[in-house]
C-alpha cells in the first residue's frame, strides 16, 4: 500500500491505505467472517477534495474449512460513509476518526444488492416481469462502485438482461430518464423496478464501443453521432443541474493534489488555468452528460444502443464532444487517433476550438484520477502522462 503525502486532508487516505488498514480490515473479518485476514489489497479508491475517502479491498480470509475465502470489504470516512454502515471510532495522531465498514454485498447505500446477487431476489423480479425461464436465471457482477451503483448481467436460457442497482433515492430519476429516452433513442425500457433500488432492463444488441475501438472495428461517423445527440429530448433540460467543466477541473485538481504529490500540484495549476480560460457562450440543451465510446453499442459502425443515461440532463453539446475526445486522447492507439481526428474535424466546424480545448483538458484531468482510483501498479506514471496531456490540450501544443 502506497503512503500519501502528509497533508492534513490526506489523513483518512493514509489511514485506509497505510499499514493501519490491515488491522482495521482484520478486525472486521474476525468479527463478521469468522476468519483471519491473510492478505488485504486495495482495489479501488475514491477521494474527495475534503479528504473523505472510500476504499474497496480484496481480502483473502483464512478459515478452517475452506482454508482460503475471497471477500470484498469497503471502508469509508466522512461524507462517504452511508447511513447504516457499521462505524468504528478511534484515535489517529491525537484526532478522533470514524470509519464506516461493510462487506460485499451488504452495501448499506444499495439495499437491493444483497438480495439481487443471491439469485433468488433477481429471479423473483424476473418472474414478476414475465421473463421466461426466470427460475433458471444466473447472475454475474459486471461493475460495483461502493455506495454508488452496481450492474449485474443476468442470463435466462438464451435471453440476456441487466440489473442496475442504485441508491433508492435515485431510482425515480433513473426510471424517468429511461421512460423518456426510450421513445427517442436506442435506450432500453425498464422491465421492472423495486423500491429498494433495482432496475431490470433487457440487453441491447451490439458490441461495446470500447471493444470495437480496441479491435479496430468501424466506428460511427461523427455526423451520425450528432444526429444521435440531436434526438435527446428537450424535456431533459429540466432534469438536474447544468454541469460546469471549470468546477469539475478544480475538483479533479484538488483530488490529484491529495494523491499525486508534485504531479498533483501541477494538476491544480492546470485546473486554475482551465477555470480562467475563455469558454465562449453556448446554449443549454439536452446532453448525455458522460458521452464517450463505452456508452455506445455498435454493429459495424452503426449505433444500436446508448447506455448509462443516468447522467442525461441539461448541459452544453460542446461538453459531450469534449468528453468523447478526452477518452480518445488517453486511448492513444492508431485507430483511436484516426477516429479522434475525424470527430475533431466535425466538431471544430461547429464550435470555436479555443473554447473546446479547456473543456477537453478538464475531462482529461478527470481521467487522470483513474489510475490511482483503480490502484494500477503503474498509476504514478499513467497519472503523470494524463496530467501532461491535459496541459497539451489546454495550450494547443
Amino acid at each position: 500500500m502506497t503512503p500519501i503525502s502528509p497533508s492534513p486532508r490526506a489523513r483518512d487516505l493514509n489511514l485506509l491505505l497505510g499499514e493501519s488498514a490491515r488491522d482495521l480490515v482484520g478486525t472486521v473479518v474476525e468479527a463478521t467472517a469468522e476468519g483471519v485476514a491473510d492478505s488485504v489489497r486495495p482495489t479501488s479508491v475514491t477521494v474527495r477534495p475534503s479528504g473523505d475517502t472510500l476504499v474497496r479491498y480484496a481480502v483473502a480470509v483464512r478459515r478452517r474449512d475452506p482454508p482460503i475465502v475471497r471477500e470484498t470489504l469497503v471502508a469509508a470516512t466522512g461524507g462517504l460513509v452511508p447511513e447504516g454502515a457499521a462505524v468504528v471510532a478511534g484515535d489517529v495522531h491525537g484526532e478522533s476518526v470514524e470509519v464506516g465498514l461493510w462487506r460485499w454485498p451488504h452495501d448499506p447505500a444499495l439495499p437491493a444488492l444483497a438480495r439481487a446477487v443471491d439469485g433468488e431476489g433477481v429471479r423473483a423480479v424476473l418472474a414478476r416481469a414475465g421473463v421466461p425461464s426466470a427460475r433458471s436465471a444466473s447472475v454475474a457482477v459486471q461493475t460495483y462502485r461502493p455506495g454508488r451503483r452496481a450492474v449485474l448481467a443476468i442470463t435466462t436460457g438464451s435471453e440476456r438482461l441487466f440489473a442496475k442497482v442504485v441508491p433508492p433515492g435515485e431510482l425515480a430519476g433513473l426510471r424517468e430518464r429511461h421512460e423518456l429516452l426510450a421513445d427517442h433513442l436506442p435506450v432500453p425500457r425498464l422491465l421492472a423496478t423495486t423500491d429498494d433500488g433495482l432496475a431490470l432492463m433487457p440487453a441491447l444488441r451490439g458490441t461495446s464501443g470500447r471493444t470495437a475501438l480496441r479491435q479496430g472495428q468501424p466506428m460511427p461517423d461523427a455526423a451520425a453521432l450528432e444526429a444521435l445527440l440531436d434526438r435527446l429530448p428537450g424535456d431533459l433540460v429540466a432534469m438536474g443541474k447544468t454541469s460546469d467543466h471549470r468546477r469539475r477541473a478544480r475538483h479533479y485538481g484538488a483530488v490529484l493534489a491529495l494523491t499525486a504529490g508534485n504531479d498533483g500540484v501541477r494538476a491544480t495549476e492546470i485546473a486554475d488555468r482551465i477555470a480562467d480560460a475563455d469558454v465562449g457562450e453556448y446554449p443549454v440543451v439536452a446532453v448525455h452528460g458522460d458521452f464517450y465510446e463505452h456508452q455506445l453499442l455498435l454493429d459495424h459502425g452503426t449505433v444500436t444502443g446508448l447506455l448509462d443515461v443516468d447522467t442525461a440532463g441539461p448541459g452544453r453539446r460542446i461538453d459531450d464532444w469534449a468528453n468523447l475526445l478526452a477518452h480518445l486522447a488517453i486511448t492513444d492507439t492508431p485507430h483511436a487517433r484516426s477516429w479522434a481526428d475525424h470527430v475533431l474535424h466535425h466538431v471544430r466546424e461547429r464550435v470555436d476550438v479555443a473554447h473546446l480545448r479547456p473543456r477537453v483538458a478538464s475531462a482529461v484531468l478527470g481521467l487522470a484520477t483513474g489510475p490511482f482510483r483503480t490502484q494500477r501498479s503503474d498509476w504514478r506514471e499513467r497519472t503523470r502522462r494524463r496530467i501532461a496531456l491535459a496541459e497539451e490540450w489546454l495550450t494547443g501544443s
Side-chain angles (χ1 to χ4, degrees):
M1 300 183 187
T2 306
I4 307 301
S5 65
S7 160
R9 288 188 302 158
R11 178 202 64 181
D12 294 357
L13 195 55
N14 283 318
L15 172 66
L16 297 188
L17 291 184
E19 291 304 316
S20 55
R22 184 184 180 92
D23 295 335
L24 185 68
V25 172
T27 300
V28 178
V29 168
E30 290 178 16
T32 64
E34 298 178 352
V36 176
D38 204 52
S39 67
V40 177
R41 179 174 61 87
T43 57
S44 72
V45 183
T46 298
V47 186
R48 286 182 176 171
S50 62
D52 295 350
T53 301
L54 180 149
V55 180
R56 186 180 70 195
Y57 304 96
V59 185
V61 180
R62 183 161 32 90
R63 294 173 177 163
R64 291 182 179 179
D65 185 26
I68 296 291
V69 176
R70 305 295 174 181
E71 293 267 4
T72 296
L73 273 76
V74 182
T77 64
L80 291 171
V81 179
E83 184 177 349
V87 176
V88 175
D91 187 86
V92 178
H93 303 307
E95 292 186 75
S96 177
V97 179
E98 292 187 343
V99 179
L101 299 151
W102 63 92
R103 288 172 60 203
W104 164 272
H106 305 285
D107 189 322
L110 304 174
L113 184 58
R115 183 169 57 85
V117 298
D118 72 3
E120 285 304 315
V122 161
R123 292 181 192 112
V125 176
L126 292 172
R128 290 203 304 271
V131 176
S133 306
R135 298 307 303 173
S136 65
S138 62
V139 180
V141 180
Q142 297 288 292
T143 59
Y144 173 51
R145 297 289 296 272
R148 296 180 59 185
R149 67 170 183 158
V151 178
L152 313 175
I154 304 165
T155 304
T156 63
S158 60
E159 191 168 3
R160 187 170 168 83
L161 306 99
F162 288 95
K164 181 172 283 189
V165 180
V166 298
E170 296 179 10
L171 183 64
L174 176 66
R175 186 165 46 217
E176 185 177 3
R177 283 172 172 81
H178 274 265
E179 290 174 356
L180 177 62
L181 290 168
D183 289 334
H184 303 273
L185 291 151
V187 170
R189 292 187 182 278
L190 300 185
L191 300 175
T193 60
T194 63
D195 291 342
D196 56 358
L198 183 144
L200 180 70
M201 64 193 76
L204 300 178
R205 69 180 180 89
T207 300
S208 159
R210 176 179 291 170
T211 299
L213 188 66
R214 290 177 175 172
Q215 294 180 350
Q217 297 180 23
M219 301 304 291
D221 185 82
L225 293 181
E226 184 93 59
L228 183 78
L229 294 172
D230 282 342
R231 289 159 61 190
L232 288 165
D235 289 350
L236 285 170
V237 173
M239 299 177 66
K241 296 181 180 180
T242 304
S243 183
D244 184 340
H245 74 278
R246 293 164 293 195
R247 184 171 59 249
R248 291 198 307 273
R250 286 238 163 92
H251 173 93
Y252 303 141
V255 170
L256 289 164
L258 284 172
T259 60
N262 290 335
D263 293 315
V265 174
R266 182 183 179 192
T268 60
E269 294 170 351
I270 294 170
D272 288 341
R273 289 160 59 193
I274 291 171
D276 291 338
D278 178 18
V279 293
E281 293 291 335
Y282 294 89
V284 174
V285 297
V287 298
H288 181 278
D290 190 23
F291 188 66
Y292 68 107
E293 74 280 357
H294 196 46
Q295 310 292 31
L296 304 173
L297 292 176
L298 306 175
D299 182 7
H300 296 90
T302 298
V303 178
T304 57
L306 182 64
L307 306 178
D308 286 348
V309 297
D310 318 37
T311 54
R316 295 171 176 83
R317 175 71 57 82
I318 188 174
D319 289 315
D320 268 352
W321 289 120
N323 197 58
L324 172 59
L325 288 167
H327 280 81
L328 294 179
I330 69 163
T331 303
D332 196 29
T333 64
H335 194 42
R337 287 194 295 271
S338 175
W339 193 42
D341 288 344
H342 165 71
V343 171
L344 182 58
H345 178 75
H346 175 88
V347 175
R348 69 191 309 165
E349 291 181 348
R350 287 155 177 78
V351 304
D352 188 331
V353 71
H355 301 156
L356 178 68
R357 287 191 173 280
R359 289 176 157 91
V360 178
S362 175
V364 172
L365 209 58
L367 295 171
T369 66
F372 178 82
R373 177 174 52 80
T374 56
Q375 289 291 283
R376 292 187 60 109
S377 60
D378 60 347
W379 71 264
R380 289 188 183 277
E381 179 56 33
R382 283 179 172 267
T383 299
R384 185 175 298 118
R385 290 202 302 265
R386 292 184 183 185
I387 292 171
L389 183 60
E391 188 167 32
E392 289 173 15
W393 266 99
L394 180 62
T395 61
S397 59

